[in-house]
Amino acid sequence: MSLARFLKFSLRQSPRQNFEIFRKLDDAKWGKLVGVDELGNRYFFNPEERYGRERWCLPAASKNGMDASQIPPRWHSWLHRVTDEVPKATAAEDALALQRPKWMAYPHNENYTGTKKANVTYNTVRSKISAWDHSVADRL
């Protein structure tokens, strides 16, 4: 990061906001707040940035708890320029406004793999492979 960019970043916002952004993103970013999703993530837009970096998200989670699956699909499509329409406040309002299927109106859940909330399957089919029995047979 250049010195000019860092100075511009430090003068645009309060020191508290600068510290939060730099701590979570490891980058100097500023922009106009576009919206907040139901998980508390804040989305920003800065037309002065170069293409591909003008839309960004400041996650609500702490730095250790951040995960890409915590961004809802409708905001993900806005971030990656699939659509230019800014999503509405809730998923249900967004599904009505964009005439999307009902399954897209459900609230977004993050990926729970590796946590206590992970989906664990239950198998009712008898095993086709038997475990090895390690008992020793007597020699003759």
Side-chain angles (χ1 to χ4, degrees):
M1 171 186 343
S2 69
L3 180 62
R5 180 178 165 84
F6 183 75
L7 289 174
K8 190 186 282 188
F9 165 71
S10 8
L11 297 175
R12 294 260 174 143
Q13 301 163 131
S14 72
R16 185 175 154 262
Q17 288 174 321
N18 290 341
F19 177 74
E20 181 187 15
I21 292 170
F22 206 76
R23 183 178 57 88
K24 287 186 177 181
L25 301 179
D26 292 331
D27 194 10
K29 288 188 162 284
W30 62 91
K32 179 183 154 222
L33 178 66
V34 174
V36 179
D37 66 12
E38 56 270 8
L39 300 174
N41 299 324
R42 293 177 289 173
Y43 299 90
F44 295 88
F45 177 71
N46 182 1
E48 297 173 18
E49 277 282 4
R50 66 181 174 84
Y51 182 80
R53 292 182 50 116
E54 73 274 12
R55 296 177 181 187
W56 53 281
C57 170
L58 188 64
S62 66
K63 183 158 181 141
N64 296 335
M66 289 190 295
D67 184 12
S69 70
Q70 293 171 342
I71 297 178
R74 54 203 179 87
W75 280 104
H76 183 271
S77 64
W78 179 80
L79 279 174
H80 293 276
R81 301 184 78 44
V82 174
T83 180
D84 285 332
E85 296 179 26
V86 177
K88 304 280 190 256
T90 64
E93 290 174 7
D94 204 38
L96 286 174
L98 298 176
Q99 299 174 350
R100 292 195 172 150
K102 288 182 181 179
W103 62 268
M104 287 183 130
Y106 294 137
H108 175 69
N109 294 324
E110 63 182 277
N111 184 0
Y112 292 121
T113 303
T115 66
K116 291 182 180 181
K117 292 183 179 181
N119 183 28
V120 180
T121 58
Y122 176 72
N123 193 357
T124 58
V125 179
R126 192 175 75 224
S127 177
K128 295 177 182 169
I129 301 171
S130 58
W132 176 62
D133 186 20
H134 57 279
S135 61
V136 179
D138 293 331
R139 292 189 172 203
L140 299 173

